[in-house]
Amino acid sequence: MTADIEVAWSALGGDPALLSRVTAVQRPGALPARLPVRQLARACVGACALAAAELAARRAGLAEVPAVRVDDGAVATAFHSERQLLVDGRAPVAFAPLSRFWRTADGWVRTHANYPHHRARLLGALGLPADASAQDTAARLAERPALEVEEAVYGAGGLAVALRGPKEWAATGQAAEVAARPLVERERPDAAHARVLPPLDPGATPLLPAAGLRVLDLTRVLAGPVATRTLALLGADVLRLDAPWLPELPDQHADTGFGKRSATLDLGTDRAAFEELLASADVVVTGYRPGALDRFGLSPQALIERRPGLVVAQVSAWGAYGPWGARRGFDSLVQVATGIAVTEGSADAPGVLPAQALDHGTGYLLAAAVLRALTERSYDGGGRSVRLALARTAHWLTDGIRPPADTGTPATGAPYEGPDAWLAETDGPLGRLRHAVAPVAFAGGPEGWAAPPVPWGSSPARWR
């Protein structure tokens, strides 16, 4: 066990005595960075695996929580899952041409334009035509100050963030709001008695702590889908819902769609269908900008009023508070705003973390928060609300993990020399997929997903 798993487990409200069940296999060379990315990644996955083992023991009536082993090799490979994916031998494109760093008149800005509607809003804010090239965009951005670009693009509903150093970020109102919040926000909004999950057969192989659980997945890139992919690994019936007019990027959907079903639903016109799903759901996970779903009656309070005992899990980029609370955001942009890109960069250009570590780390913490909420609910029946933010995970990475980060008596592992040992191949309706194996593991638990990803929107909007 390492000290940083203890921090994550404490943030989840876990019993510190259970930490003795965790062994960490440390592998030098995994996720190399100036910041302690490897320690953060190991802590998030380790806490998630322990939460899964705890729930398995609770539901199966085991005398002892199964042993957890978290391996830096599996964790590092999984934190690159979107980069490790091959679809019939083809590697996906990680970022669109207009999703990158750009020089401005006084510094740098980073944009995100992977989705067509975000590209259109970016170009519109810059006064460029829809067919503008990267060269056109670079020329326009070079004429304007970075903060002016940030405000203009966000005002148009797009995504652009000016590069800030750690001190510049710390001086903002949003940084103060983020630092004041716990790593995992946890609330118990009701005391109603939820549906009791049936006990598990202690001799079942594999032992699936989320078996029988119904999860509504209203998330997009990348933390939310990682969380729900993890719940699917653990046996949950995960139904992802998207608006019919907002298709997911195909390769991204393939990477995060393992074990899930995918349906489309217009919340504006198909409310009856959604309410029918909600009426027998155990968990709702949302990953949209804070407040964006409230007009559909999907705030945690409204959901739990209609479905007492529900567990509602939310993830956002900046947190649902402060001056940036309503802003859109992605991992790459949070790195730029919070000083990470400066810390990882050079005098000549900003840098990046070795993986989308804020997304992946927060995703595993979100899954862990759901699992712990379910364990707590099994005792008192009350609903739970949990909330995480990429910016808060970034604050932990930059200000919360201190050397010596690796403590205790971890297992000794060989240096990390690449992902090959933690890759698998699966055939399915999307083709032959090479993908990262799941890093969340405990004795007797699942070794992989029960089903490959399905085409986006191909499933009926109903429970099995």
Side-chain angles (χ1 to χ4, degrees), residues 115-457:
Y115 289 103
H117 58 293
H118 289 156
R119 172 190 164 91
R121 292 169 186 172
L122 169 65
L123 294 175
L126 298 177
L128 292 170
D131 61 351
S133 66
Q135 291 75 19
D136 298 330
T137 305
R140 183 60 53 88
L141 288 168
E143 301 170 351
R144 302 177 65 174
L147 288 175
E148 179 184 295
V149 170
E150 177 181 283
E151 292 301 320
V153 174
Y154 265 109
L159 295 114
V161 172
L163 180 71
R164 291 169 173 82
K167 291 183 178 179
E168 293 174 286
W169 169 247
T172 67
Q174 190 63 30
E177 292 277 359
V178 167
R181 298 305 200 282
L183 179 62
V184 181
E185 297 181 76
R186 303 160 54 242
E187 297 178 359
R188 182 183 172 185
D190 79 346
H193 286 281
R195 175 173 79 96
V196 177
L197 294 175
L200 299 176
D201 177 1
T205 304
L207 191 60
L208 300 175
L213 196 72
R214 289 175 167 175
V215 179
L216 281 178
D217 178 1
L218 282 72
T219 69
R220 293 171 78 82
V221 212
L222 180 63
V226 166
T228 51
R229 180 180 68 185
T230 302
L231 296 175
L233 169 79
L234 299 169
D237 180 7
V238 178
L239 180 62
R240 173 164 168 166
L241 296 178
D242 286 286
W245 57 88
L246 281 179
E248 185 58 279
L249 301 174
D251 293 331
Q252 197 162 263
H253 176 73
D255 172 49
T256 60
F258 283 88
K260 307 180 193 178
R261 293 179 298 125
S262 171
T264 60
L265 194 70
D266 185 341
L267 293 175
T269 61
D270 296 334
R271 287 301 299 277
F274 179 82
E275 294 301 323
E276 185 176 349
L277 289 168
L278 178 64
S280 57
D282 298 289
V283 178
V284 175
V285 186
T286 69
Y288 288 77
R289 175 173 52 92
L293 297 177
D294 290 6
R295 63 191 175 97
F296 298 110
L298 299 182
S299 68
Q301 296 80 4
L303 287 167
I304 291 173
E305 284 175 5
R306 303 202 303 282
R307 175 62 169 160
L310 187 70
V311 174
V312 181
Q314 296 175 289
V315 62
S316 64
W318 310 106
Y321 40 74
W324 288 24
R327 285 195 175 190
R328 298 170 176 85
F330 294 101
D331 180 308
S332 58
L333 303 183
V334 176
Q335 290 187 40
V336 173
T338 58
I340 291 173
V342 169
T343 300
E344 295 292 337
S346 66
D348 297 324
V352 297
L353 296 177
Q356 300 279 86
L358 306 180
D359 260 333
H360 285 275
T362 306
Y364 287 109
L365 279 180
L366 187 67
V370 169
L371 296 166
R372 288 246 58 254
L374 291 166
T375 297
E376 292 176 350
R377 194 183 76 170
S378 73
Y379 289 98
D380 61 34
R384 297 292 193 279
S385 174
V386 298
R387 188 165 62 189
L388 290 90
L390 304 189
R392 183 58 182 84
T393 304
H395 178 68
W396 184 35
L397 175 65
T398 58
D399 294 276
I401 300 178
R402 296 287 182 231
D406 293 335
T407 60
T409 55
T412 301
Y416 183 74
E417 296 181 349
D420 290 353
W422 297 279
L423 295 173
E425 292 194 351
T426 299
D427 291 315
L430 299 181
R432 187 165 186 79
L433 304 180
R434 188 200 74 175
H435 59 92
V437 302
V440 174
F442 60 89
E447 296 183 355
W449 289 273
V454 299
W456 180 84

